Amino acid sequence: MTERTALETLARGLRIALDGIEALLATPPPAEWVDQYGSPFGARRHCRLVREGKLRGMKFEGHVYVRRSDIDALLERHVVTRKPTEEESDAAAAAAALRAMRETVVPTRRKKA
């Protein structure tokens, strides 16, 4: 491969990368309103949450719209923490017992020679 061919290949690759970056920059920010088909909950759950009153929504021409900020707030309220496995809880209990033993053991003084 000659130097010119290598430079042309590099230029083509850079043009492709630049086109991709321009496409990303051209995409609009997320919409303020989300319908059931664009919802992170899926269409059925989206509509059910509106019916149950957990999300405020409005219906227009067969679509149920909810503000994106309401969806984000609902998701933030339902943060899930992982429950430790049995092995992890056993290890934590053993570590706590070891710490307790260290605190109760009084070191002996060495006699001066």
Side-chain angles (χ1 to χ4, degrees), residues 23-89:
L24 284 174
L25 292 175
T27 56
E32 184 178 348
W33 292 90
V34 179
D35 70 351
Q36 68 266 34
Y37 303 111
S39 173
F41 300 117
R44 287 184 180 187
R45 182 172 289 151
H46 178 93
C47 293
R48 189 184 76 222
L49 290 169
V50 171
R51 271 194 311 274
E52 293 172 352
K54 294 179 181 176
L55 283 175
R56 291 183 322 156
M58 66 172 209
K59 191 169 184 178
F60 182 73
E61 294 184 0
H63 293 266
V64 178
Y65 293 96
V66 174
R67 287 189 187 273
R68 181 167 295 281
S69 59
D70 291 341
I71 291 174
D72 293 340
L74 180 69
L75 289 172
E76 289 294 325
R77 286 193 306 265
H78 292 279
V79 175
V80 178
T81 57
R82 186 177 71 84
K83 186 177 178 181
T85 64
E86 190 175 316
E87 289 177 2
E88 290 172 338
S89 57

